Amino acid sequence: MIQYILECMAFQLLFLIVYDLFLKRETFFQWNRAYLMGTFVLSLLLPWIKVEALKTKVSSEYFIYPEYLWGTDMSEGVIVAPENSPSFDLSATEIIFYGGMLIAAFLFAYKLYQINRLKRQGEIRYFRDFTRVVVRNSSIAFSFFRSIFLGDQVLEKEHKSIIQHELVHIEQRHSWDLLFFELMRIIGWFNPLIYVYQNRVSELHEFIADAKVAKTHKAEQYQLLLSQVFQTQHISFINQFFKSSLVKKRIVMLQKSKSKRVWQLKYLLLVPLVVGMLVYTSMEAKENGISEEEQATGDAQLIKNIKLPQLSNPNQGDVDVPFSQVEKVPIFPGCEDAENMRACFQQQMQKHIAKNFRYPQEAQEKGIQGRVNIMFVIQKDGSIGNVRMRSPDKILEAEAARIISLLPQMAPGEHKGKKVRVAYSTSITFKLQRRDEFGTKENDDGTVDVAFAIIDKVPVYPGCEDAGDMRACFNQMLQRHIGKNFRYPEQAQEIGIQGRVNVLFIIQEDGSIGNVRLRGPDKLLEDEAARIISLLPQMTPGEHRGEKVRVPFSIPITFKLQGPEENESSQSPELMSVSNTMSVMANVKKVGGKEYLRCMVTDGTKGLPGVNVSVQGKNEVVVTDFNGIIEIEAQKGEVLTFQYKGLPTTMLVLTDQQKYHITNK
């Protein structure tokens, strides 16, 4: 947000400089009005616009959100609100921002009250094109939307020109321009350029009205009227006739000769200016050693292209150096020999979060989800301290605090040859999966996964186009592919490694293979299984309810050494074992008021991905995820069937909500 505000203000400043230097003195008043209104709106939109053709990659400095953007609160640990009391988790910066908005809104309401009071106290008379309000004992003259306010002292003078002047404001809806900037002043009360814009537009309104009235009235008499000093109301968003600071400028403009049409070419200056801004907003920053994609998908909160000062710590008198600026970053255990310490730190941090992540049961039952923003300091001794966080609910904060508390001791960071405290920021997202029909899952990017067992039209393996049973042909051709390309890794044979590699992949909407995930007893076997799957041909994508969808598919690839001599080699029994059973652990789980049966399916040692789980008597199939877990709606008395290639079918009888009976078929 800070980045956006700074960019908006920079663009507005450039637009105003061009206006004041090249356009302000010209008599193209309507063009100038369009320029000011248009460029202000454009300054709000440009930071969001990224033109593909203008994209360039720049090496820029990224860094973690500085702590002062969260306010000056440096309290340790997680802040928990007292029980049964409301919690207002606002930083000092936010309090100032919203407080300023509140004051600006109050002032705006007071201005409306002033106008309304004048109308109530005045003598009102309605005409076809406007409403005249005569105010007693006053010489004011201004318009507000369709109302013209005139002091009774003005009526004694030549006021026909004044009314005609104000009618121009009404006809051209000048009050809307000023009201727009008044609302912008509430939102951006801290931005002085909004006030400059409003002042420039207000001037133009008077020039436009003066120019039109001077065409039908004698210019000399009109100038004489302007030269007199009158009382005025200090209300910023009314079109007031008598405003002392503007009188001289208006007289000068009336005497000024009309600008030549050729000078309208000055407005073309806007073209290179906007193109330059688009080039800037379209830049893609890339931090050394970390790709743009990693930056986009990582949880660390980053600000681009802003180099901010180091942050002082009032509690300890030290200086907190942002992670991206510290010369020697803290070393996460396992990164000691890494070439890029920053990249390794980020990767290890994400692995730590994923490994220790556990969605709180209470949050699931209440349907609570959202992002927890976390900020902490890696201190001079390598320990973690000053943990602060912000989230939609304290339940999620407690889980995030638990994950951060499990971070290991690190080697401290160094800056300018000294050990320093290093400020780091990241976030953890808690998101409940959307439950649609059985066997389907909607992903975060809007794509839909449909289980192979229930999809209307299965993906077509090359050679199965004319097959009578597409599912059977797909399975047969896949087994042939594995048999044809299977190669037992020599190193695995020498060491005596064998076992089952569970493979889970997705046949995507274009028929390609993606999201390959493997789980086996050793990386050598996993790499060989990945090579086999990478050789799968392009397929015709699956369809469900008339639309192309992603289809998850799971298959085990078993690596088994022949002969007892080789099996009795010097390797651990754990690596040699290939489980031929399936076990199911189940418990009842509440999510959003509904009860689901949560099952974890394993082969005795590890979770089994891609197990087809169905309820007998129903045409419903759910597929276990990569960890072997599924959640399914089932009732007492129903029987669940678990099927997986190479393992005997397992059945789960629901005798009640807490006790289950498992049988092997």
Side-chain angles (χ1 to χ4, degrees), residues 78-252:
V78 180
I79 303 171
V80 181
E83 198 171 320
N84 299 325
S85 66
S87 173
F88 298 96
D89 188 14
L90 291 176
S91 67
T93 306
E94 290 173 325
I95 291 171
I96 293 171
F97 177 73
Y98 292 120
M101 285 182 62
L102 189 64
I103 293 171
F106 174 79
L107 292 174
F108 175 65
Y110 178 69
K111 293 169 187 176
L112 291 176
Y113 165 75
Q114 283 182 291
I115 294 172
N116 185 57
R117 186 182 63 178
L118 287 173
K119 196 167 187 177
R120 283 188 286 106
Q121 293 175 353
E123 179 186 323
I124 301 174
R125 185 174 177 184
Y126 297 95
F127 295 89
R128 187 183 67 177
D129 297 324
F130 67 98
T131 300
R132 188 182 71 182
V133 181
V134 178
V135 182
R136 295 172 187 169
N137 301 320
S138 175
S139 57
I140 64 171
F142 69 88
S143 63
F144 182 67
F145 289 98
R146 296 185 62 84
S147 298
I148 297 177
F149 292 78
L150 290 172
D152 54 1
Q153 297 174 14
V154 176
L155 292 177
E156 299 171 3
K157 304 183 177 90
E158 179 71 35
H159 67 276
K160 185 178 179 181
S161 298
I162 297 175
I163 292 177
Q164 212 161 17
H165 176 100
E166 299 304 331
L167 280 174
V168 177
H169 291 315
I170 293 172
E171 289 167 4
Q172 298 197 11
R173 297 178 173 83
H174 290 170
S175 292
W176 285 107
D177 296 357
L178 299 179
L179 185 62
F180 169 75
F181 284 110
E182 199 68 24
L183 295 175
M184 289 298 100
R185 282 170 57 169
I186 295 175
I187 299 170
W189 57 270
F190 50 85
N191 181 6
L193 298 177
I194 297 177
Y195 302 81
V196 177
Y197 260 97
Q198 189 181 40
N199 178 266
R200 298 290 187 273
V201 169
S202 180
E203 282 182 4
L204 276 175
H205 289 169
E206 301 309 317
F207 297 158
I208 290 168
D210 288 344
K212 192 162 184 180
V213 174
K215 288 180 181 179
T216 56
H217 289 69
K218 194 173 180 181
E220 291 78 7
Q221 292 180 355
Y222 191 63
Q223 290 176 31
L224 181 62
L225 180 64
L226 285 176
S227 65
Q228 302 176 56
V229 178
F230 291 88
Q231 174 190 349
T232 183
Q233 290 294 113
H234 297 287
I235 302 174
S236 60
F237 65 107
I238 59 174
N239 296 114
Q240 45 192 317
F241 187 83
F242 302 120
K243 188 173 182 181
S244 303
S245 60
L246 265 178
V247 167
K248 185 177 179 180
K249 293 180 182 178
R250 289 166 65 184
I251 293 174
V252 169

Side-chain angles (χ1 to χ4, degrees), residues 36 63 94 198 259 318 512 522 536 635:
L36 288 174
F63 81 85
E94 290 173 325
Q198 189 181 40
S259 300
D318 293 328
S512 62
D522 191 88
L536 282 170
Q635 300 176 355

Side-chain angles (χ1 to χ4, degrees), residues 230-416:
F230 291 88
Q231 174 190 349
T232 183
Q233 290 294 113
H234 297 287
I235 302 174
S236 60
F237 65 107
I238 59 174
N239 296 114
Q240 45 192 317
F241 187 83
F242 302 120
K243 188 173 182 181
S244 303
S245 60
L246 265 178
V247 167
K248 185 177 179 180
K249 293 180 182 178
R250 289 166 65 184
I251 293 174
V252 169
M253 276 298 179
L254 278 171
Q255 295 173 343
K256 190 175 178 67
S257 3
K258 193 174 180 182
S259 300
K260 296 179 181 179
R261 293 181 64 86
V262 70
W263 296 124
Q264 289 181 349
L265 293 175
K266 290 183 178 181
Y267 293 98
L268 292 178
L269 291 169
L270 193 61
V271 176
L273 191 61
V274 171
V275 170
M277 292 174 180
L278 286 173
V279 170
Y280 170 77
T281 59
S282 299
M283 284 180 180
E284 293 178 347
K286 182 175 181 181
E287 185 180 1
N288 294 333
I290 302 178
S291 69
E292 182 186 0
E293 289 77 13
E294 288 171 332
Q295 290 294 335
T297 55
D299 282 326
Q301 302 299 306
L302 303 175
I303 295 182
K304 182 173 66 176
N305 298 331
I306 305 179
K307 190 168 184 178
L308 296 173
Q310 297 170 357
L311 310 170
S312 61
N313 184 341
N315 289 340
Q316 297 185 16
D318 293 328
V319 170
D320 294 349
V321 182
F323 180 81
S324 64
Q325 288 190 346
V326 69
E327 292 173 356
K328 189 175 178 181
V329 299
I331 301 174
F332 200 109
C335 292
E336 290 81 1
D337 300 322
E339 291 183 7
N340 190 323
M341 290 291 185
R342 287 183 210 277
C344 184
F345 187 99
Q346 301 269 17
Q347 292 166 4
Q348 291 296 326
M349 178 64 69
Q350 295 306 315
K351 283 182 182 179
H352 172 83
I353 292 171
K355 178 182 177 182
N356 295 283
F357 182 87
R358 187 177 64 211
Y359 211 122
Q361 184 71 25
E362 185 182 354
Q364 294 185 53
E365 292 173 0
K366 293 180 179 179
I368 298 170
Q369 57 184 350
R371 180 188 296 270
V372 180
N373 295 312
I374 308 163
M375 190 175 291
F376 59 86
V377 171
I378 303 153
Q379 309 202 63
K380 290 181 178 181
D381 61 356
S383 62
I384 305 300
N386 201 19
V387 181
R388 291 185 294 154
M389 54 192 67
R390 183 177 299 142
S391 77
D393 195 274
K394 296 297 180 184
I395 298 173
L396 303 186
E397 285 187 4
E399 172 59 15
R402 185 189 66 83
I403 294 172
I404 298 302
S405 71
L406 297 174
L407 281 169
Q409 185 85 5
M410 305 179 193
E414 294 183 15
H415 196 72
K416 296 181 179 179

Side-chain angles (χ1 to χ4, degrees), residues 46-84:
L46 277 173
W48 301 106
I49 300 174
K50 298 187 184 300
V51 181
E52 197 69 30
L54 298 176
K55 279 191 175 181
T56 57
K57 289 188 178 181
V58 296
S59 179
S60 63
E61 192 152 351
Y62 281 83
F63 81 85
I64 311 300
Y65 250 155
E67 292 196 347
Y68 79 79
L69 296 181
W70 273 24
T72 55
D73 179 16
M74 301 292 290
S75 56
E76 295 279 343
V78 180
I79 303 171
V80 181
E83 198 171 320
N84 299 325

